[in-house]
Structure formats: C-alpha cells, structure tokens
Amino acid sequence: MVTYQIAPSLLAADFNRLGEQVAAIEEEADLLHLDLMDGHFVPNLSFGPAVIAGLRKLSELRFDCHLMTTNPDAYLPELVKAGVDLVTMHIEAIPDPTHAARRARAEGLDFGLVISPPTPVEAVLPFLEDCSLLLIMSVNPGFGGQSFIPKVLSKVESARNWIESHGLKADIEIDGGISTNTIVAARDAGANVFVAGTAVFGEPDPAAAVRDLRKQLEQA
Ligand code: DX5
Ligand code: ZN
C-alpha cells in the first residue's frame, strides 16, 4: 500500500515567527520541507543550516532539505550537524551524483535527487537505485507561490513506471504549486510525497490546510 506524505515548505512561513509556524503543523505534517538557496543555482536566497539547527530543537518532524545550490555535497557536514534527515540535490547541479549519494548515506542521511521542469526524466533514471526519493519540481525552482506546471506529470508517470519495473523503492515527491486543486492529479500520476508552501502557510490555519490536502488524497 502506498503511503502519502505531506511536507509543508517553510519558505512560505512567516519568518517573524518560524517556531510558532512549525509548531502549528507539527501534529499534522509528515515532513518539514526546507529550501536552501544560494543565489547562484537559483536567483534567490533563503536560509541555511543555522536556521535548521534552531528549528531542530523544537520539532520531531523529519527534516527534508531541498538544496538549490551549486556544489550541493559541500553542505553535507553542516546539514548533518543541523539535524537534517533527508537531503535532495538537483541533477542539474551534480550530473553524476553517485559519490554524493554515497557520502550522504555514510553521514547517516537519506538521499534524493531533484529534477527541474526543463530537464528530461532520463537524466535521473540511471541513478534512482541510489535514491530513497526522487523530487520532481512542478515549478521552476527559486520561488514559492508559482503556478503548477501540468506538463511535469508525464515525468512523474515515467519515473513511477521505472521505479516499479526495476523493483526500486524510491518515493516520488512533487514540489511547486501543490494545492487542493492539483494534489489529486499529482497523486494519480504516481507521486506519494507532496510539498506545499503557499497552500499551507498562506492559509490562516496551517494545520487545517494540511488536513484538507490529506482529505483530497483520500478521495478515489
Ligand atoms: C521552490 C521551492 C518550493 C516552494 C514551494 O523553489 O522548492 O518548495 O516553497 O512553494 P509553493 O507550494 O508555494 O509552490
Ligand atoms: Zn522545495
């Protein structure tokens, strides 16, 4: 049986009260999605390991760290110290991730790859056996609040077929423009981990927003 997981993205939280915002979704969410940006791989900056380490003290959620940086493997030691559980790296930043995957696992982290909308799914397929998760971006990385790009659903389908036909276990996470309007299409294409920023923290009651997303997933 597939288990569905919801990962609220901190990027959309109120940065004036991050602790409170994480506490609000602690009981409802499965993962906390943490977007690290370096202003180089993407034209934006966000937050780094110090902020993650601060939040680690007040949350027991699994920390899902999406690295939108060049040289993503350089951050591994800091991220381990900060208390991350899963780290994902863009295939566009690290075309041969074999070594980085091994290094992440040696540090005790789960490892995943990320693929941006313009990149063909074939770029990641040969490396899926090294991954516990594949993150398929459904917006161009760098900013929250963008519209879902339906074209990426065919990549979700191809990746799901590849994973099943090769007897692999990787989860498929989708990130960007996920809301109660788009989550079912993503699930039907084969995603089972759903990142939601604006659809959770942009709502007056973030916990209720996570419940609403989960309710959509339960429908046939
Ligand atoms: C964008 C980030 C996303 C972002 C999603 O580069 O990777 O995780 O927070 O935000 P929404 O859900 O608002 O599209
Ligand atoms: Zn993300």
Side-chain angles (χ1 to χ4, degrees):
M1 225 199 76
V2 199
T3 52
Y4 297 124
Q5 300 193 319
I6 297 182
S9 171
L10 192 74
L11 194 64
D14 180 350
F15 278 35
N16 193 34
R17 48 191 185 101
L18 286 182
E20 241 177 80
Q21 295 265 273
V22 173
I25 51 99
E26 179 82 20
E27 299 302 322
E28 300 294 340
D30 301 289
L31 300 158
L32 182 65
H33 185 81
L34 299 155
D35 292 296
L36 261 66
M37 304 181 187
D38 65 354
H40 183 69
F41 180 73
V42 288
N44 196 8
L45 290 161
S46 56
F47 47 81
V51 169
I52 297 176
L55 294 172
R56 182 72 288 176
K57 294 189 191 124
L58 46 92
S59 173
E60 288 180 6
L61 289 169
R62 264 171 69 72
F63 279 9
D64 158 22
C65 182
H66 173 193
L67 284 172
M68 282 164 273
T69 67
T70 46
N71 299 325
D73 49 335
Y75 300 92
L76 282 172
E78 283 301 303
L79 294 173
V80 170
K81 254 191 267 162
V84 160
D85 298 283
L86 159 72
V87 68
T88 62
M89 300 182 188
H90 273 260
I91 191 72
E92 299 85 5
I94 187 162
D96 184 349
T98 316
H99 177 70
R102 207 171 297 145
R103 201 172 150 200
R105 270 197 306 271
E107 299 271 16
L109 300 179
D110 287 330
F111 178 82
L113 282 171
V114 194
I115 182 168
S116 290
T119 307
V121 72
E122 286 74 21
V124 288
L125 298 179
F127 304 109
L128 288 186
E129 56 194 304
D130 284 331
C131 295
S132 63
L133 175 144
L134 170 66
L135 168 50
I136 298 181
M137 292 298 300
S138 39
V139 298
N140 286 306
F143 299 91
Q146 304 181 73
S147 302
F148 183 78
I149 302 172
K151 238 178 115 181
V152 308
L153 291 175
S154 64
K155 289 202 284 191
V156 176
E157 283 168 15
S158 306
R160 177 54 71 199
N161 287 337
W162 177 278
I163 287 166
E164 272 165 23
S165 62
H166 289 75
L168 303 177
K169 285 206 175 66
D171 289 310
I172 299 182
E173 183 176 39
I174 189 150
D175 180 10
I178 292 295
S179 69
T180 50
N181 295 322
T182 54
I183 197 167
V184 172
R187 176 202 69 184
D188 289 348
N192 67 303
V193 183
F194 306 87
V195 177
T198 311
V200 170
F201 290 113
E203 293 295 319
D205 183 344
V210 175
R211 284 194 293 272
D212 286 346
L213 289 168
R214 217 183 283 284
K215 216 178 287 161
Q216 294 294 314
L217 290 174
E218 280 159 12
Q219 87 184 14

